[in-house]
Amino acid sequence: MPSPFVVQNLPADLLNRYKEALRQKDQHLLERFERTLLDMPGAAHLEAMTYAAMDTTFGLHPEIHDQPSTGGADLKLTADASNPIYQECKYLERSAVTEESGLDDCDPLDIVVVNYSHITVMIQTKVKNATAQLADAADGAGIAVIGTDHRGAQEVFDDMAAEWLLTSTTHIEVPISRRSGSAVGPVQVIAPLRDSVFLARPPQVGDDLRRLRVPVSAVLLYWFDASARWGTLIGCLNPWPLRTLDIHRFPGVLFARFVSTPTITDRALPAVEWVVG
């Protein structure tokens, strides 16, 4: 089972570093961030933690890209000036994660029986919300960073979460004879594409799959603990991106991708494989 990349050893003053970067860009951005820090601290911490990870863990020279009047992606990664990368951070509130997943927002116990659900639809919605900000980044790949500090959410920010973003929540299909009630064909795993982040069902029979959110080259799922200054990252890649992401800029991070480009004529989606930056 693929394991998320561990982000650690982030600077103790990461919040002040991010505030200073905002101040240098525009005082209004700093003031807005301070309000977010009071009203929704997790969202503010996600931005600061992402900025710190891109800077100290991956050496990608992040800059504030957001404009107070026109918006845009939160960050621009400029380690390769000729091929920048843009990132938009979207936060999942802890109470919403609890309600959707069934996971308690508390430190895990040594042994505990938990019934919970993955939150594919919640994540997909946040990626959709990030698309507009990334659409304006014409000269580089776009990454939607979806994060939460819900203390139990590592369970739903895992390899299955990244894979299901590609395929949607899968179903089991068993051909059964109405007369005998017995299976008359092989069991198949199928994807109804109700909550795939990059694919949609054809508009009519015979048409190909529809592409969704092409400005988003990749999704990074970022579970983080702001007080301990560490977290985990795992991603998935758009099979039809407007601009391709060079995953080697993120050494050690695992990305799920389709082995081949999906097409409706295959009847079943192609397999998903894991690639490491």
Side-chain angles (χ1 to χ4, degrees):
M1 178 180 295
S3 298
F5 176 84
V6 177
V7 179
Q8 55 190 340
N9 300 323
L10 296 179
D13 61 341
L14 66 88
L15 193 60
N16 287 332
R17 290 189 187 196
Y18 188 61
K19 287 183 180 181
E20 179 58 22
L22 290 168
R23 187 194 65 77
Q24 290 185 18
K25 178 72 174 184
D26 192 292
Q27 180 66 26
H28 292 93
L29 290 176
L30 175 58
E31 293 170 359
R32 187 177 69 188
F33 179 79
E34 295 282 15
R35 291 193 296 271
T36 302
L37 192 57
L38 289 174
D39 298 337
M40 191 180 294
H45 289 143
L46 172 62
E47 291 183 22
M49 291 282 288
T50 301
Y51 181 92
M54 296 306 119
D55 186 23
T56 62
T57 302
F58 300 110
L60 292 175
H61 304 170
E63 297 178 356
I64 305 299
H65 184 68
D66 194 6
Q67 302 289 336
S69 56
T70 58
D74 292 321
L75 301 177
K76 180 179 181 180
L77 311 182
T78 62
D80 181 353
S82 64
N83 188 23
I85 298 171
Y86 296 86
Q87 291 185 327
E88 176 66 20
C89 299
K90 295 296 182 185
Y91 175 66
L92 295 178
E93 295 183 51
R94 293 161 75 156
S95 59
V97 171
T98 296
E99 182 177 353
E100 187 73 12
S101 69
L103 289 165
D104 290 333
D105 186 11
C106 62
D107 294 326
L109 302 176
D110 290 336
I111 300 176
V112 63
V113 177
V114 178
N115 293 316
Y116 66 90
S117 301
H118 270 72
I119 56 174
T120 310
V121 174
M122 282 187 70
I123 297 171
Q124 188 247 35
T125 300
K126 289 296 184 179
V127 176
K128 180 180 179 180
N129 294 342
T131 303
Q133 287 93 333
L134 295 171
D136 295 333
D139 61 337
I143 299 176
V145 180
I146 313 302
T148 189
D149 52 353
H150 182 290
R151 285 171 289 180
Q154 288 185 75
E155 300 296 332
V156 290
F157 267 48
D158 60 356
D159 60 310
M160 185 178 292
E163 186 170 337
W164 277 2
L165 281 176
L166 288 177
T167 64
S168 81
T169 304
T170 54
H171 292 182
I172 302 298
E173 183 180 81
V174 185
I176 297 176
S177 167
R178 289 183 180 274
R179 181 171 300 176
S180 67
S182 301
V184 294
V187 176
Q188 295 187 85
V189 178
I190 63 169
L193 296 180
R194 292 180 183 145
D195 48 13
S196 169
V197 71
F198 296 127
L199 307 175
R201 282 185 171 277
Q204 56 188 9
V205 176
D207 290 347
D208 204 349
L209 296 167
R210 286 183 292 154
R211 305 180 183 188
L212 301 178
R213 292 172 268 286
V214 294
V216 182
S217 308
V219 175
L220 279 175
L221 303 180
Y222 194 3
W223 177 87
F224 65 94
D225 183 332
S227 61
R229 303 189 308 281
W230 79 284
T232 62
L233 285 172
I234 198 164
C236 66
L237 297 173
N238 191 337
W240 292 301
L242 195 60
R243 294 167 293 274
T244 302
L245 174 69
D246 179 6
I247 64 170
H248 297 103
R249 309 278 289 279
F250 300 88
V253 177
L254 284 161
F255 292 88
R257 71 177 180 188
F258 287 112
V259 171
S260 58
T261 303
T263 171
I264 193 64
T265 57
D266 292 336
R267 176 65 179 90
L269 291 175
V272 173
E273 65 177 355
W274 289 92
V275 291
V276 61

